[in-house]
Amino acid sequence: MAASRDDRLNVIRALLARFTSALLASWIVLTAVFFLLRLLPGEPGTIFEDPRVPQEQRQRLRTIYGLDRPLPEQYVRWLGGVARGEWGYSLSQHRPVGQILRETAPNTLLLSGAALLLELGLGLALGVAAAARADSVADRGMRILSITLWSLPTFWLGLMLMAAFAVALPLFPPGAMRSVDADELGLGRRVLDLLWHLALPAAAIGVPAAAATARFVRSTVLERLGEPFVQSARARGLSAGRVLWTHALRAGLAPIAQLAGLSLAALLSGTIAVEVVFGWPGIGRATYDALVARDYPLLLAGTALSAAFVLAGSFLAEVLQTWLDPRLRDA
């Protein structure tokens, strides 16, 4: 009983330590971004450089947004607002930043989740198939194809998919998240319309990631196929498919799960290019627009949310690996 209580306390301490380190990393990132933005030439918000805006109105806006205060005071006031969950007002959209994040975050999560499903499904299938035919012509072809896809920039692949399947062969819409008349459709048709618009941007993100996953799964499965317990399963007369899927792949789930958690972090924080190309109304698009407009409050909030996604994905990867690997659980 005492040992069990000590184990729970150790787990709680480990979780608190990781949470504290995540908060510290987030604070460092946000502080660096806050001061680096202030080093950029020009004033925050394009409205302050618009010659059509009178000087008196510009000064009034600076006072309203607190931009007339010393930089250390701006930082302290901003950090206090973040601690209370208040991100301020957008300089370009003139509404609370928190409202913008609540509208765009679910869209980015949807796009990243679809890309992750595509990555894992396609990556696992191709990786296991290549491992089952190691050093064959099909295996070499898969490796060449995976390296090629992995090296493609997501924004370029998105443009090529749009040119091929939205312009030359108009099977999918070239952008946006839903059709103009989507609100007039029934629930089932609205879901299909959303999936129709989701296909190309999810493919632009998920296909290169699936190529990298396939290579990792192939090497992991091949390594497990050489383990003594797998050789023993073969000696007992089990079929090649059962040895491959039940023993080799199952034994390699821990590192694959860790890769999935890290991929989720990368997908959530790396959708900005695809969201801009396809006009997807997510955090990446909002952050890009904020950068163009020098909308510092929105840009800082988008950066903070992206950093939180990366840290959460890394933590999830560690938890999954510990849960799936008995050696790490016991440790």
Side-chain angles (χ1 to χ4, degrees):
M1 183 69 68
S4 177
R5 185 169 57 251
D6 291 341
D7 290 341
R8 287 196 295 269
L9 290 175
N10 289 334
V11 170
I12 293 174
R13 292 192 191 100
L15 292 175
L16 288 176
R18 290 181 178 87
F19 181 73
T20 303
S21 62
L23 286 180
L24 179 61
S26 300
W27 172 73
I28 293 174
V29 169
L30 290 178
T31 300
V33 173
F34 180 91
F35 287 103
L36 286 174
L37 287 176
R38 266 51 180 190
L39 297 177
L40 295 176
E43 295 191 74
T46 54
I47 190 173
F48 296 108
E49 297 180 353
D50 191 341
R52 297 170 297 179
V53 179
Q55 183 64 30
E56 295 79 8
Q57 187 173 353
R58 297 185 200 176
Q59 187 58 41
R60 178 181 175 84
L61 289 173
R62 288 191 187 94
T63 303
I64 291 174
Y65 287 107
L67 299 175
D68 59 338
R69 301 177 183 273
L71 187 57
E73 183 179 350
Q74 291 184 41
Y75 172 71
V76 172
R77 289 165 63 91
W78 171 79
L79 199 61
V82 170
R84 297 190 302 270
E86 300 173 1
W87 293 95
Y89 278 76
S90 168
L91 299 177
S92 59
Q93 300 191 31
H94 309 293
R95 57 189 182 127
V97 172
Q99 179 183 353
I100 300 174
L101 295 181
R102 286 191 295 271
E103 293 175 358
T104 56
N107 301 334
T108 295
L109 289 173
L110 174 64
L111 176 58
S112 300
L116 182 63
L117 290 176
L118 179 61
E119 174 193 350
L120 294 179
L122 189 59
L124 281 171
L126 292 178
V128 173
R133 300 167 179 82
D135 298 325
S136 66
V137 175
D139 178 35
R140 295 190 187 97
M142 192 281 295
R143 281 186 284 172
I144 294 174
L145 179 62
S146 63
I147 292 176
T148 303
L149 291 174
W150 192 16
S151 63
L152 295 178
T154 54
F155 74 90
W156 183 87
L157 181 58
L159 290 173
M160 293 302 101
L161 290 174
M162 184 187 300
F165 299 107
V167 179
L169 190 64
L171 297 176
F172 298 96
M177 186 176 172
R178 54 178 58 89
S179 301
V180 177
D181 59 346
D183 293 336
E184 302 175 2
L185 302 175
L187 177 60
R189 296 185 64 185
R190 284 203 306 269
V191 173
L192 291 176
D193 181 74
L194 175 61
L195 295 176
W196 186 45
H197 285 78
L198 183 63
L200 290 185
I205 302 172
V207 169
T213 300
R215 293 181 61 84
F216 183 82
V217 170
R218 175 189 178 276
S219 61
T220 301
V221 172
L222 285 178
E223 181 181 351
R224 295 300 183 271
L225 285 174
E227 296 285 345
F229 70 92
V230 177
Q231 299 293 335
S232 176
R234 282 176 173 170
R236 292 198 303 269
L238 296 181
S239 64
R242 186 173 180 184
V243 169
L244 184 66
W245 289 96
T246 306
H247 292 78
L249 182 61
R250 185 176 181 181
L253 281 180
I256 293 173
Q258 185 182 31
L259 176 66
L262 296 175
S263 297
L264 177 61
L267 292 175
L268 286 169
S269 62
T271 58
I272 179 170
V274 172
E275 290 186 359
V276 171
V277 168
F278 287 95
W280 189 267
I283 295 174
R285 176 64 185 270
T287 303
Y288 172 80
D289 292 340
L291 180 62
V292 172
R294 295 201 295 275
D295 188 345
Y296 291 174
L298 181 54
L299 188 57
L300 283 167
T303 303
L305 200 55
S306 297
F309 284 156
V310 172
L311 293 171
S314 301
F315 179 74
L316 177 62
E318 186 174 353
V319 170
L320 286 174
Q321 187 181 26
T322 304
W323 178 54
L324 292 170
D325 194 333
R327 295 169 300 179
L328 296 177
R329 264 203 318 271
D330 295 338

